Amino acid sequence: MSEQPAPADTARQQLEPAAADGLRAYAAKTRADADRFAAVLEDIATNGLPDPEQCTPWEELREAHLARLARQRPAVA
């Protein structure tokens, strides 16, 4: 494989407006999720780890998430 950049005259295929809007929305959600995760890490760095007695066990979080997913998807007969 060549290390040369692609020619500058290569045309790019434009997306449909709805597809571009969907892609921008996904990028915004991904950016917001990353910002929220970074804020949690910064809080831990500043204040230390939270008290385990005040945290929700991962099993409860998992079950709640699975229940949300089950509600979103209709049952298959």
Side-chain angles (χ1 to χ4, degrees), residues 37-56:
F37 181 61
V40 169
L41 294 178
E42 289 170 352
D43 179 68
I44 290 171
T46 301
N47 302 308
L49 291 170
D51 179 16
E53 295 299 321
Q54 296 180 353
C55 295
T56 305

Side-chain angles (χ1 to χ4, degrees), residues 11-69:
R12 295 180 68 165
Q13 181 180 356
Q14 294 296 311
L15 297 175
E16 295 291 326
D21 290 343
L23 195 55
R24 285 185 194 98
Y26 179 73
K29 181 186 180 314
T30 302
R31 187 174 295 112
D33 290 345
D35 288 344
R36 190 168 52 245
F37 181 61
V40 169
L41 294 178
E42 289 170 352
D43 179 68
I44 290 171
T46 301
N47 302 308
L49 291 170
D51 179 16
E53 295 299 321
Q54 296 180 353
C55 295
T56 305
W58 72 270
E59 295 92 348
E60 289 180 26
L61 296 172
R62 179 194 62 208
E63 293 303 320
H65 183 65
L66 290 175
R68 270 194 310 277
L69 290 175

